Amino acid sequence: MTTIHADSFHGKTVLVTGGGSGIGRAVALAFVQYGATVAVTGRRPEPLHETVRLIEASGGSGSAIPADLTDSAQVSDLIRQVVDRHGRLDIAVNNAGVNAPGPVADLDDADWDRIVATNLTGVWLSMKHEINQLRRTGGGVIVNIASNIGAHSTRPGMGAYAATKAAVSALTRTASREYISENIRINAISPGPIDTPMSVRPGETIAGRDQRLTTALPIGRVGSLDEIASTVLWLASPASGFVVGHDLVLDGGATA
Ligand SMILES: NC(=O)c1ccc[n+]([C@@H]2O[C@H](COP(=O)([O-])OP(=O)(O)OC[C@H]3O[C@@H](n4cnc5c(N)ncnc54)[C@H](OP(=O)(O)O)[C@@H]3O)[C@@H](O)[C@H]2O)c1
């Protein structure tokens, strides 16, 4: 039986977008633990360098390559730099995303544009350049981070975010059918509240979030970074080899 073991990702190069914080950093460190070399990207260099410092402290290797994923030229250059530095790209985790809550009629135009540009256009641009690289070397894996707010549920004040995450789910499923014949396997995960600042609502404390989730989620708690990282690794590994175009909900039962 195929399972994940210490060397599962040995010799593989992984790109994690939004790898300087939260879920992206946890996913980057988890891949390193299982043998991969990991490049992380985001707009701010400092958090990326801190992730690389943590990667190196754990005995792995990686690189920080700053880029704004809303800009096609920067995304193209990012993929080129990953290949220049590490020789290849095998796995991409498109995790970068933003939110700015607000009811649909009150949303600021600039916030709408920023959310769409990052969460949707940014994922599309990333996939476009990643796929064109992966097909040069015989294939690979892409995991997109959507949300359980989107294709699976909505909440007042989350219109822009939900619309972009539902679109990521649709883009994932469409592309999965287009490229699996070229050995590029594409899936998404849709997390519920995970233990990062993004799951803390405006005006709420971390303790307040945790208290809210005791009743708001069937599982009664926030999701851990480990739980999300292990799910991403499974989807990126041969253990999930027959899983194509799936949008895996990981939300403690919120949308069950
Ligand atoms: N935490 C949750 O409860 C939860 C639940 C469901 C889904 N998610 C999704 O999971 C992903 C990660 O969330 P998180 O909680 O880890 O949040 P986070 O810590 O805020 O991570 C978001 C990352 O995206 C990067 N980013 C934002 N805009 C970018 C741009 N234009 N170009 C490049 N990088 C950009 C940020 O780095 P820079 O600011 O330096 O660019 C940051 O590292 C997001 O897509 C989010 O929607 C989170």
Side-chain angles (χ1 to χ4, degrees), residues 18-24 41-44 47 67-70 95-98 118 145-148 161 165 191-194 196 198-199:
S21 61
I23 292 170
T41 193
R43 290 165 301 179
R44 294 164 299 148
D68 184 336
L69 300 168
T70 65
N95 160 79
V98 292
T118 311
I145 310 298
S147 172
N148 74 340
Y161 184 82
K165 292 298 189 176
I194 302 296
T196 78
M198 201 184 265
S199 60

Side-chain angles (χ1 to χ4, degrees), residues 16-26 41-48 65-71 74-75 78 94-99 114 117-119 122-123 126 144-149 158 161 164-165 168 189-200 209 222-223 225 228 250:
V16 181
T17 75
S21 61
I23 292 170
R25 176 176 286 169
T41 193
R43 290 165 301 179
R44 294 164 299 148
E46 301 79 17
L48 302 175
I65 309 175
D68 184 336
L69 300 168
T70 65
D71 179 323
Q74 291 193 41
V75 181
L78 163 71
N94 295 317
N95 160 79
V98 292
N99 186 24
R114 185 169 58 89
T118 311
N119 296 7
V123 170
S126 300
N144 293 326
I145 310 298
S147 172
N148 74 340
I149 305 280
M158 298 289 276
Y161 184 82
T164 58
K165 292 298 189 176
V168 166
I189 63 170
S190 281
I194 302 296
D195 193 10
T196 78
M198 201 184 265
S199 60
V200 180
R209 174 203 63 191
V222 74
L225 290 170
I228 197 159
L250 180 76

